[in-house]
């Protein structure tokens, strides 16, 4: 017969066990498996493995394509997240004001976010088409350009175009998050500021932005993680081309694993990406905690 | 309470029943054969269904389930299938490079029985032997196509006073003269795509070079490759502005919509122009793709394969089905779904009157016969010359995109052709060594 204290401990552990087990299965196993694969030469076809230590990582860091893909990933992530924030906050402020048809606008705004990526990409690729795209046609009709612009087949046009389409697709998420927070800022704060003679810009800078800091911090974290590992939009828009000018790390993972059939090398890229994301997360936590302590 | 118990049991029984369904089907003597194909256009699906209905009638033990894949997702699907041991019984239309990779990993069932049942001598020799490794067949060429053709607009060439080009010099001159207003002289795939890699193999062969020499050494870093790259760079200004991302669809579109005066392609433009831009149907024709004056004519084909993956559940049934696909009625019915695009691998079909018993096949008979002659002489990276051994690494070379990246280095990154060829040769050497 167990003592009551030991019995409570056993019960506690038994109650925790399913959570720990699920956590281990859903989080630790895939991470450990990726790490295991990255240290092996693995044929994607046969799944035969051979221990090669850090050779995949050494080959990766020596490969110019990895460096270019990493830089492309940073350019894409920083630019897309920044534009999404600017556009998202701007539109949220507009929708928070008195606007005719505000409810309809709020509904329509979600449209790009709800549209499946494959469909959105098809539409945009058609719009940007070099021979019969509507954008080139419109620009040529008004005399802004004399020949079609290769939007997706010349560098840096391709990266700029992908960033713009990515911004269009994902900025509604920022709007939703920011708008929800905007609606909960007490009106009394603005009234007091107006009495003290604060203009619109001062109100935004000294009231709205500090009130949004928390939600923006979470939005930046989430959007950065999602954009850092974005695959389908970029792959479907350009396939990583022209050359490898829009090839990001997730596309490199796909190429290594499913085109070059080198699963181990693909896992090494994925593990490296995971490391970068952990680093980013650590910085985010540190900044957030410091802000909380200062507050 | 008892109702609930029954309901749960009923639910479990239904679930188990659903899971066991394939076994029940087998127990009743009807086995489902899973057939993979990339050819799923409405007319092709209708033809498959017809063909399989006849097969099921003749072989009541089997039913056939069609599963579609696309050229872009064949590797993810295949690798997932092998990993999960959940494979189709018969796979069609996979290119020779992919078959080489599978053969290199011992992932194919022997196919000798099927080839012998169809008749070894009936295959065009090149199309039969492409899948013969160490005296054994690992697959069969179900049918074939070649993109080593140059489609051209007779009316536009006539207006520009240009004869259909036979050599690269003549083609460059024609492209220059034909590029006017919103018409581009020549559409070519400059993207990092499978079409660009396919065309690169052909251009290097036409220039008199090789990617891998018969002795197994890398032949890519050669004056022939440099000449091919320089020719393609010279042609680039006469291609549509988006050509650096072009693959199959874009090249075809540019020609079919009338925006390109010349373009390489299989026989597919015949049906597509007839459907989508019939006003230029009488103005299109095809010639063998021009070659380098110092080189020789060369043709590249995918050798659309038919094979059984190792681990397939019904090897015997798959062999029966494979043999049925070569039966004359089935074979010609399928070829007629895309007139002129897919060409026969069997001599008896190529000479049969029924093959041309279709309006577009009839109208374009000279062009189709020309393409059939080309495919009969065509080669592939897996066997670049008579003296070359079967290159089991051809798929790895092709999938690495080393060839299309070399082209992009020259056209997009403005790397000198010699340097780009040397870099690509190093990549190929690394693949051969691995």
């Amino acid at each position: 017969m167990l003592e009551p204290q030991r019995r409570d401990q056993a019960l506690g552990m038994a109650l925790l066990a399913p959570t720990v087990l699920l956590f281990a299965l859903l989080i630790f196993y895939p991470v450990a498996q990726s790490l295991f694969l990255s240290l092996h030469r693995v044929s994607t076809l046969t799944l035969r493995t051979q221990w090669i230590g850090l050779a995949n990582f050494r080959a990766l860091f020596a490969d110019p394509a990895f460096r270019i893909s990493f830089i492309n990933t940073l350019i894409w992530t920083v630019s897309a997240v920044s534009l999404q924030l600017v556009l998202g906050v701007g539109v949220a402020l507009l929708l928070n004001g008195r606007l005719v048809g505000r409810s309809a606008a709020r509904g329509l705004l979600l449209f790009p976010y709800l549209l499946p990526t494959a469909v959105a990409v098809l539409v945009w690729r058609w719009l940007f088409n070099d021979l019969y795209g509507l954008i080139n046609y419109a620009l040529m009709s008004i005399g802004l350009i004399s020949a079609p612009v290769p939007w997706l087949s010349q560098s840096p046009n391709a990266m700029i175009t992908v960033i713009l389409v990515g911004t269009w697709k994902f900025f509604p998420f920022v709007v939703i998050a920011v708008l929800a927070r905007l609606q909960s800022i007490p009106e009394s704060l603005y009234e007091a500021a107006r009495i003290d003679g604060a203009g619109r810009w001062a109100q935004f800078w000294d009231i709205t932005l500090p009130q949004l800091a928390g939600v923006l911090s979470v939005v930046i974290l989430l959007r950065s993680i999602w954009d850092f590992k974005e695959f389908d939009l970029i792959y479907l828009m350009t396939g990583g081309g022209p050359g490898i000018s829009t090839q990001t790390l997730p596309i490199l993972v796909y190429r290594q694993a499913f085109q070059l059939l080198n699963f181990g090398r693909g896992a090494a890229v994925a593990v490296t990406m995971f490391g970068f994301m952990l680093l980013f997360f650590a910085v985010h936590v540190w900044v957030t905690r410091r802000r909380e302590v200062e507050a | 309470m008892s109702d609930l118990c029954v309901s749960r049991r009923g639910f479990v029984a239904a679930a188990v029943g659903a899971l066991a369904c394939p076994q029940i089907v087998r127990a009743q003597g009807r086995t489902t054969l899973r057939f993979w194909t990339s050819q799923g256009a409405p007319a092709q699906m209708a033809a498959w269904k017809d063909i399989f209905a006849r097969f099921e009638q003749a072989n009541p033990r089997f039913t056939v389930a069609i599963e579609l894949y696309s050229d872009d997702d064949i590797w993810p699907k295949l690798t997932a299938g092998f990993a999960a041991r959940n494979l189709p019984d018969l796979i069609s239309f996979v290119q020779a490079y992919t078959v080489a990779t599978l053969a290199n990993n011992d992932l194919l069932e022997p196919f000798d029985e099927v080839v012998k049942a169809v008749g070894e001598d009936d295959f065009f020799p090149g199309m039969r032997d492409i899948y013969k490794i160490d005296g054994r067949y690992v697959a069969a060429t179900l049918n074939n196509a070649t993109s080593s053709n140059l489609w051209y607009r007779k009316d536009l060439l006539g207006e520009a006073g240009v004869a259909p080009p036979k050599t690269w010099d003549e083609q460059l001159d024609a492209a220059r003269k034909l590029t006017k207003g919103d018409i581009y002289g020549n559409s070519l795939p400059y993207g990092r795509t499978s079409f660009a890699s396919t065309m690169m193999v052909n251009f290097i062969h036409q220039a008199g070079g090789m990617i891998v020499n018969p002795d197994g050494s890398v032949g890519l870093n050669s004056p022939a490759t440099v000449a091919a790259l320089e020719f393609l760079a010279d042609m680039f200004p006469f291609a549509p502005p988006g050509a650096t991302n072009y693959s199959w669809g874009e090249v075809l579109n540019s020609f079919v919509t009338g925006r390109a005066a010349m373009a390489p392609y299989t026989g597919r433009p015949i049906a597509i122009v007839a459907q989508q831009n019939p006003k230029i149907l009488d103005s299109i024709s095809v010639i063998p793709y021009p070659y380098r004056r110092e080189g020789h004519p060369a043709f590249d084909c995918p050798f659309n394969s038919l094979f059984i993956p190792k681990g397939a559940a019904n090897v015997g049934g798959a062999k029966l089905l494979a043999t049925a696909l070569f039966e004359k009625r089935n074979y010609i019915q399928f070829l007629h779904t895309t007139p002129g695009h897919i060409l026969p691998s069997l001599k008896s079909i190529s000479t049969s009157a029924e093959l041309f018993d279709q309006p577009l096949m009839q109208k374009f008979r000279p062009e189709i016969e020309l393409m059939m002659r080309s495919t009969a002489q065509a080669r592939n990276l897996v066997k670049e010359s008579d003296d070359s051994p079967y290159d089991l690494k051809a798929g790895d070379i092709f999938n690495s995109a080393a060839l299309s990246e070399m082209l992009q280095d020259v056209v997009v990154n403005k790397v000198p052709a010699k340097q780009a060829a040397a870099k690509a040769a190093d990549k190929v050497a690394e693949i051969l060594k691995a």
Side-chain angles (χ1 to χ4, degrees), chain A residues 130-131 152-153 243-244 255 259, chain B residues 242 244-246 259 399 408:
Chain A
D130 59 329
L131 294 180
L152 292 168
S153 52
I244 53 170
R255 284 205 67 211
Q259 289 178 347
Chain B
T244 47
N245 262 3
Y246 272 22
R259 299 293 301 275
N399 291 333
Q408 289 229 311

Side-chain angles (χ1 to χ4, degrees), chain B residues 100-307:
Chain B
T101 304
L102 294 172
N104 194 28
N105 286 284
D106 191 24
L107 293 171
L108 299 172
E109 286 286 341
F111 216 65
D112 304 68
E113 256 179 77
V114 175
V115 175
K116 283 177 181 148
V118 174
E120 270 184 289
D121 293 339
D122 197 10
F123 283 93
F124 286 106
M127 298 188 211
R128 177 193 60 210
D129 296 341
I130 196 88
Y131 293 121
K132 196 174 190 179
I133 304 175
D134 298 331
R136 304 291 305 271
Y137 294 105
V138 293
T141 302
L142 177 60
N143 46 49
N144 215 342
T146 179
S147 51
S148 312
N149 309 302
L150 185 69
W151 283 93
Y152 67 97
R153 288 278 298 277
K154 292 184 277 189
D155 52 340
L156 297 178
L157 265 72
E159 284 165 25
V162 177
K166 289 198 177 98
T167 63
W168 287 356
D169 302 339
E170 290 172 12
Q171 194 189 0
L172 181 60
D173 183 51
R176 191 176 288 124
K177 287 177 179 158
L178 289 163
T179 304
K180 267 184 214 157
D182 62 355
I183 304 277
Y184 296 91
N186 191 68
S187 187
L188 270 169
Y190 286 98
R192 196 181 61 175
T193 60
S194 62
F195 194 11
S197 295
T198 302
M199 290 304 290
M200 256 339 288
V201 173
N202 203 49
F203 283 123
I204 292 166
H205 289 167
Q206 288 179 326
M210 295 186 97
I211 288 86
V212 179
N213 293 320
D215 64 3
S217 62
V218 179
L220 187 59
N221 190 5
S222 69
T225 304
V226 173
L229 290 170
E230 285 172 348
F231 164 67
L232 289 163
D234 289 344
M235 289 288 284
F236 184 62
F238 311 112
T244 47
N245 262 3
Y246 272 22
S247 188
W248 299 96
E250 292 83 1
V251 171
L252 179 65
N253 271 347
S254 61
F255 184 74
V256 168
T257 54
R259 299 293 301 275
M262 300 187 289
Y265 217 83
T266 64
R268 201 181 270 282
I270 295 174
I272 305 283
V273 168
Q275 284 164 14
Q276 295 176 15
N277 196 5
K279 66 177 186 290
I280 65 165
L281 191 63
D282 290 333
S283 308
I284 64 168
S285 191
V286 71
I287 46 168
Y289 204 92
Y291 56 94
R292 188 185 176 208
R293 202 177 289 279
E294 299 82 354
H296 53 78
F299 307 97
D300 187 273
C301 278
F303 298 90
N304 300 327
S305 63
L306 192 64
F307 64 86

Side-chain angles (χ1 to χ4, degrees), chain B residues 209-396:
Chain B
M210 295 186 97
I211 288 86
V212 179
N213 293 320
D215 64 3
S217 62
V218 179
L220 187 59
N221 190 5
S222 69
T225 304
V226 173
L229 290 170
E230 285 172 348
F231 164 67
L232 289 163
D234 289 344
M235 289 288 284
F236 184 62
F238 311 112
T244 47
N245 262 3
Y246 272 22
S247 188
W248 299 96
E250 292 83 1
V251 171
L252 179 65
N253 271 347
S254 61
F255 184 74
V256 168
T257 54
R259 299 293 301 275
M262 300 187 289
Y265 217 83
T266 64
R268 201 181 270 282
I270 295 174
I272 305 283
V273 168
Q275 284 164 14
Q276 295 176 15
N277 196 5
K279 66 177 186 290
I280 65 165
L281 191 63
D282 290 333
S283 308
I284 64 168
S285 191
V286 71
I287 46 168
Y289 204 92
Y291 56 94
R292 188 185 176 208
R293 202 177 289 279
E294 299 82 354
H296 53 78
F299 307 97
D300 187 273
C301 278
F303 298 90
N304 300 327
S305 63
L306 192 64
F307 64 86
I308 303 169
K310 195 159 261 179
N314 302 292
V315 174
K319 285 178 180 171
L320 272 179
L321 181 62
T323 310
L325 292 178
F326 284 97
E327 284 168 16
K328 193 174 184 181
R329 183 178 173 194
N330 297 338
Y331 201 100
I332 291 178
Q333 182 179 3
F334 192 76
L335 295 189
H336 282 177
T337 58
T338 49
H341 169 49
I342 298 173
L343 303 168
S345 57
L346 301 178
K347 289 183 263 184
S348 59
I349 301 286
S350 70
T351 51
S352 74
E354 295 94 316
L355 179 65
F356 291 98
D357 190 14
Q358 198 274 351
L360 282 173
M361 298 283 286
Q362 192 78 66
K363 182 175 172 68
F364 284 92
R365 186 170 183 150
E367 283 86 357
I368 290 167
E369 284 177 338
L370 180 142
M371 288 189 284
M372 286 203 292
R373 284 195 295 277
S374 301
T375 52
Q377 310 165 46
R379 295 203 174 277
N380 188 279
L381 194 54
V382 299
K383 195 162 168 48
E384 292 187 69
S385 72
D386 286 339
D387 303 327
S388 299
Y390 196 90
D391 185 358
L392 291 166
K393 293 285 183 76
D396 299 339

Side-chain angles (χ1 to χ4, degrees), chain B residues 36-155:
Chain B
W36 274 17
T37 183
S38 58
Q39 307 297 300
Q44 290 174 316
M45 286 303 282
W48 287 131
K49 281 178 187 161
D50 256 12
I51 292 166
F52 295 145
R54 288 196 289 271
F55 173 79
E56 286 164 8
Q57 206 169 18
N59 301 275
R61 283 189 300 131
F62 298 110
T63 57
V64 183
I66 306 167
E67 296 175 23
L68 293 175
Y69 69 85
S70 78
D71 288 336
D72 289 332
D73 69 13
I74 181 68
W75 278 121
K77 284 196 81 158
L78 269 177
T79 50
F82 281 114
R85 296 174 200 281
N86 181 13
L87 289 156
D89 298 294
L90 189 64
I91 302 181
S92 68
F93 282 90
V94 168
Q95 299 205 8
Y97 320 108
T98 308
V99 177
T101 304
L102 294 172
N104 194 28
N105 286 284
D106 191 24
L107 293 171
L108 299 172
E109 286 286 341
F111 216 65
D112 304 68
E113 256 179 77
V114 175
V115 175
K116 283 177 181 148
V118 174
E120 270 184 289
D121 293 339
D122 197 10
F123 283 93
F124 286 106
M127 298 188 211
R128 177 193 60 210
D129 296 341
I130 196 88
Y131 293 121
K132 196 174 190 179
I133 304 175
D134 298 331
R136 304 291 305 271
Y137 294 105
V138 293
T141 302
L142 177 60
N143 46 49
N144 215 342
T146 179
S147 51
S148 312
N149 309 302
L150 185 69
W151 283 93
Y152 67 97
R153 288 278 298 277
K154 292 184 277 189
D155 52 340

